[in-house]
Amino acid sequence: MEDSVIVVGAGTMGAGIAFVAARGGFPVEIVEPDPSARERGRARIEADALRAGDASAASRIRWLEQIPERSAATIAIEAVPEDLSLKIRILTELERALAPDALLATNTSSLSITELFNGLDRPERAIGLHFFNPPAAMKLVEIVRTASTDDRAIERARAFVERSRKSAVLAADTPGFIVNRVARPFYLQALRALDRGVAPIETIDALARAAGFRMGAFELIDLIGMDVNLAVSESIYERTDQARLIPLELQRAMVAQGRLGRKSGLGFYDYRNGVPERLDLRVDPPGGEPIEDEVVAIIGFGGIADELAELLEQRYAHVQRIENDDLIDELRLDTTMVIDTGDGTSDRGELVASMDSVLGPETVVFVDAYATDTQAAAKRMRHPERLIGYGVLGSFESQRAVEIADSPGASDDALALAQELFEQLGKGVALVADEPGLVLGRIVGSIVNEAVIAVHEDVATADDIDLAMRLGTNYPIGPIAWGREIGGARVARILNRLAQAEGDAFAPHRSLWILDALDEPEEGLEPPEPQGIGGGIF
Ligand code: NAD
């Protein structure tokens, strides 16, 4: 039997879903009691059809004013406002109208699907079909199963989504499903960084873009609306009761002041005279003759050390590589910059202190600020003014800009040299406060952690989480793959330091240490016991 679809509610989502189903070739009915909403819905569908070059799609949609007593539709999707009792009423009506084996779906974003379907006669055919806004353009649909949903319902939902030319991921009925939940730290950690004065709004957004996000958290909140962003944050926090997901006072204050973003003219940015220009950290590598008057040394091997060596050799005439910490006494006496890359997970304070005692006072020393506590390291140095903390997460290639820790002890000359160095390598530079994780370590690390927790809690598979975040929020790479690229132990190191400064809630999940093995379990591979804050294997 050919499938046919009934959609209830012709608002932003219902109209879009009806169009998507019609374009997929399904006969569609759409129920909308409000005449003006019907008109808006029709206009929206016509605009979608025009944009898609598929005028016939609109003609496959039949409009109804109420749910019929009997419906021959085999797939029903409710998309009425986010109100538990209204939705339960609509779902009950639908269940009565449909044949016993029809699929019954809700497009809720924030309600418990289990609760919505609680009183139904046949919860086994009930499911979440979470489309994203605008449905015609967004490629992703989260299929949400409850404990009662049977496999047949999941397979039918998947076939429907695929025929509607969308990608399906499967999620358990948990607060925020995949996308809204794993995306929380993107906003919350940017807000926390702002709150703690790590960097200004424009810098945090520019760094996020330099790391590959389509937009920074603040410009995105302005686009979505702070009221909507806060509502999602609050709903997920209230339902999970996880301190790491607690909304910030700043969000509530902005909503109270009506600073909602673009729609109110003012949010983090001012839109009263149009959309403001964005700070861009992009720079072009200068080119020209190799620089003769600096002598640059790199300490470390593999990964970032190799990448750095390649970049440096293109611009500097004198580049020395030291691949073993025991060989630092081979550093040339005329070295002007030493860049330590470390192993990404260890504190390099001791090495920095020993270099301090052998190098001339003018040499600037660079250290990985994500792994090393630069302020503690500076305290052990005779010349702390020459120590510069820099931040590159996974690779130079994937990051258009480098964070530099603006530590109180660093001299202006050293900071200026750091800026010049990275610009010579074609990287933008952002000066940020010397706090654990700087900006990107904090944000990206917390997203990776949230994704790992979601896998651990069986919300979805690692692959589905990665796909969902790429398609649902345009992340440049899925968070699990990103975590593997950065290294699970490195993310854990960053978050351990963050937790030490800001509380246990931000500590790494123990599965981070076995990130490389997630979904590929190896016999005998056990994660280390949780290390607690401050202690640990690093
Ligand atoms: P909306 O307010 O734009 O549309 C809801 C529509 O339902 C309105 O046209 C309203 O007239 C209609 N309606 C109200 N009572 C009805 C009834 N008894 N029978 C039939 N229609 C009725 O809301 P929306 O943004 O489209 O959201 C709908 C659902 O989709 C919500 O559950 C929401 O959480 C979810 N959702 C929204 C988004 C989004 O970005 N807007 C994204 C994903 C999911």
Side-chain angles (χ1 to χ4, degrees), residues 210 298 303-309 311-312 339 341 390-402 421-422 425-428 485:
I298 310 157
I304 286 180
D306 291 350
E307 249 191 310
L308 191 56
L311 287 170
L312 282 167
I339 308 169
T341 56
Y390 72 95
V392 175
L393 265 181
S395 69
F396 273 94
E397 197 191 347
S398 58
Q399 217 168 297
R400 233 169 41 217
V402 174
L421 171 85
F422 289 114
L425 306 184
K427 300 293 166 190
E485 190 187 299

Side-chain angles (χ1 to χ4, degrees), residues 8-9 11-13 32-33 79-82 87 90 107 109 130-131 133:
V8 184
T12 311
M13 298 307 291
E32 175 58 65
V80 298
E82 196 78 330
K87 281 191 189 281
I90 297 292
N107 186 48
S109 306
H130 187 230
F131 283 77
N133 187 15

Side-chain angles (χ1 to χ4, degrees), residues 82-155:
E82 196 78 330
D83 169 331
L84 185 75
S85 55
L86 171 65
K87 281 191 189 281
I88 289 177
R89 186 159 63 75
I90 297 292
L91 290 166
T92 311
E93 269 182 54
L94 278 171
E95 176 160 70
R96 246 182 255 135
L98 295 166
D101 62 347
L103 190 68
L104 182 52
T106 171
N107 186 48
T108 185
S109 306
S110 64
L111 300 173
S112 154
I113 296 186
T114 308
E115 205 177 331
L116 279 176
F117 292 138
N118 216 1
L120 295 188
D121 292 336
R122 295 175 183 274
E124 69 279 3
R125 47 99 174 245
I127 206 157
L129 279 177
H130 187 230
F131 283 77
F132 290 77
N133 187 15
M138 297 297 288
K139 282 254 152 278
L140 183 73
V141 179
E142 291 175 324
I143 297 177
V144 187
R145 62 179 159 83
T146 71
S148 312
T149 310
D150 67 18
D151 290 348
R152 200 173 103 81
I154 295 171
E155 283 326 305

Side-chain angles (χ1 to χ4, degrees), residues 222-234:
D222 277 356
L223 185 68
I224 295 167
M226 183 53 110
D227 49 344
V228 176
N229 179 268
L230 176 64
V232 180
S233 300
E234 279 183 331

